[in-house]
Amino acid sequence: MLRYRTFTEADFEALAQLDLTAQRTADPGFDALPERERTGRLSTSTAALKFYERSEHSFVAQGEGAGLAGAVFAQHVWQGDRPIVLVRSLLLAPDAPGEAAAGLLHAVVKSAYDSAVYEVHFPVTPALEGAARQEEAHLVGGYAVCHLGTRAGTAPGTRLARADGGAA
């Protein structure tokens, strides 16, 4: 059984290891990528963890053992007329129970509702598709990211081709 909770500085090392493991699982060639790309894919720098620790919308999933089964990093974002909660990333251990993603997303949804925020935005990744269904989310696109500079060549995801067939 998993327990969902906010995290503290005592969890930072375990979160960094979970992030690294999740990246290596998602991309077996992760360690061969340029250092800039590896760093860009990680969500667990000390500054990022301190920020998400205070966000009130970031959580870890902890099993009965000492290890973390997963984590979700989310934050309030003001849209000019209303706030949303934006999920930056979901990290799952390779052996995480099937309910970990859904439980983490539900923790974010509940924290958003409890703080009077009524929209939670997140990328619908394969790990979050079932969780999105459980929360009865509305699919609006898929979520794309424009990486500027040299990371554009090595960033994760499917690169979309220009409609005119030309180069950028």
Side-chain angles (χ1 to χ4, degrees), residues 121-155:
H121 293 229
F122 56 95
V124 182
T125 62
L128 279 173
E129 189 171 343
R133 290 183 193 286
Q134 286 185 7
E135 294 295 335
E136 298 181 6
H138 294 244
L139 186 61
V140 180
Y143 194 94
V145 177
C146 292
H147 290 277
L148 308 177
T150 58
R151 280 204 62 215
T154 56

Side-chain angles (χ1 to χ4, degrees), residues 5-129:
R5 62 174 177 80
T6 57
F7 59 87
T8 67
E9 194 168 332
D11 297 305
F12 285 10
E13 187 176 325
L15 284 164
Q17 187 58 49
L18 175 65
D19 193 7
L20 190 56
T21 300
Q23 296 304 322
R24 288 174 172 156
T25 301
D27 183 353
F30 178 81
D31 289 323
L33 292 169
E35 181 178 352
R36 184 175 183 172
E37 181 60 30
R38 289 192 315 268
T39 301
R41 291 188 188 190
L42 295 171
S43 304
T44 51
S45 68
T46 301
L49 289 173
K50 286 180 184 247
F51 173 79
Y52 286 111
E53 178 185 19
R54 294 185 309 269
S55 77
E56 300 178 9
H57 301 294
S58 298
F59 301 92
V60 294
Q62 187 166 21
E64 293 181 19
L68 299 179
V72 62
F73 301 123
Q75 63 178 309
H76 273 100
V77 177
W78 180 247
Q79 298 294 299
D81 60 350
R82 68 184 176 277
I84 66 167
V85 169
L86 176 66
V87 174
R88 176 188 181 197
S89 57
L90 171 80
L91 304 172
L92 295 173
D95 60 349
E99 74 269 13
L104 286 163
L105 182 60
H106 186 70
V108 173
V109 169
K110 183 178 181 333
S111 72
Y113 184 82
D114 289 349
S115 63
V117 177
Y118 302 110
E119 289 185 35
V120 176
H121 293 229
F122 56 95
V124 182
T125 62
L128 279 173
E129 189 171 343

